[in-house]
Amino acid sequence: MTALATGAATWTLPEPRPQRSVAFVFQGGGSLSAPQVGMLRALAEAGITPDFVIGSSAGALNAVAYASDPTEAGLQRLENLWLTLRRRSVAGISARTLVRAIAGRGDGLFDAAPLGQLLRSDLVASELDRTRIRSHVVATGLLSGEPVVMSTGDTASALLASSAFPGIYAPVTRGGLRLVDGGVSADIPILQAEALGATASFVLPAAGSDERGAAPRGPLAIAYHALGQILDSTARRDSRAAQGEVHLLPPAMSTATNPMDFRETGRLIRDGYELAANWLDTWAGRPGSANEAAYA
C-alpha cells in the first residue's frame, strides 16, 4: 500500500495489480508431444492466445514453431511436419557413431544431424528473439543439473540442446555451457514461466501412457519409461509450487513406449484437439487456480 498525504488527511492507495500475462507451457516427450498440435488449434479456435511460450525438448519445438507463425497456415505447416516424421527424421544411426559411443569416445548413440537439418528449415524463426510471439526454450546444464532458459540467439542450437536426451544425443555447447534435454530438469517448465512473468499458464502436456499397452522393451524404451516416472514426480512438485493460475489441458493417451515411435501421430493430434476442445467448452473461461486436473 502507498500512503498519500493531502493536507491533514492521509489516503492509502492500493498497490497496482500486476498485469495479466498468459503463457503456453509445453511439456517434452519426443513423439508423444504430437497432441500439442491439436491442442494449439483448439486454443486458437477458442480465442486464447499467449503473451509468450516456453517449452522443453520436443515441446520446445512446438512452442517455437507456433510462436514463429501463430496463424492457421502456421499450424497446418506444423501438423504436416509431424505427419511426415519418422525415426530417421530426427536421429541418424551409423556403425561409426555406435562404435564410438560404446568405446566411450562419443557422447550419444544417435547422430543429431537429421534433427539439426529439420530445425534449420523455415518452420521456425532463425533467431529466438525474432518469433512473432516471445518464445523461450529450456535446456539443462549438464554439470549443474539446473534449468537453463534460452530466449535469444540461434534457434536451431537452442532446440538441439533442449532435445539432447542424455545418452541418445550428445550434449550441445551453447554460451559456454554443455546442455542436455530440458525435460531432465523442467519437463513442464511452469516455474520458469512464472519467473518470466506469467500470471496464468496453459499447460500443453505430452501424451500419457495407456496402461493397456505392452510393457516397454529395449534399452531406449526402458530408459525413457524410467526417466518418465521421475519427471512425472517433478512435474507434480513444480505444479504444486506454482503461484498463479495453472490450467492443465487433458492429455491424450498413447500405447507407444518409445519416444521415436511416430506411428500414432495422426491419432494423437486428433485426440489432442478433441480433448482440448471439449475441455475448453466446459472451462468457458472460468477463473483458475493453481494445480488443476492431473497435477492436483
Side-chain angles (χ1 to χ4, degrees), residues 30-51:
S31 60
L32 301 181
S33 292
Q36 294 168 353
V37 180
M39 295 174 192
L40 283 170
R41 193 179 299 280
L43 286 163
E45 291 177 359
I48 300 174
T49 57
D51 295 291

Side-chain angles (χ1 to χ4, degrees), residues 49-53 63-75 77 122-136 155:
T49 57
D51 295 291
F52 68 89
V53 300
V64 177
Y66 168 74
S68 296
D69 185 2
T71 65
E72 169 59 29
L75 284 175
R77 188 158 50 247
D122 60 359
L123 180 71
V124 296
S126 59
E127 303 284 323
L128 280 176
D129 45 359
R130 292 183 180 178
T131 54
R132 297 190 194 181
I133 298 172
R134 285 188 296 127
S135 56
H136 308 276
T155 300

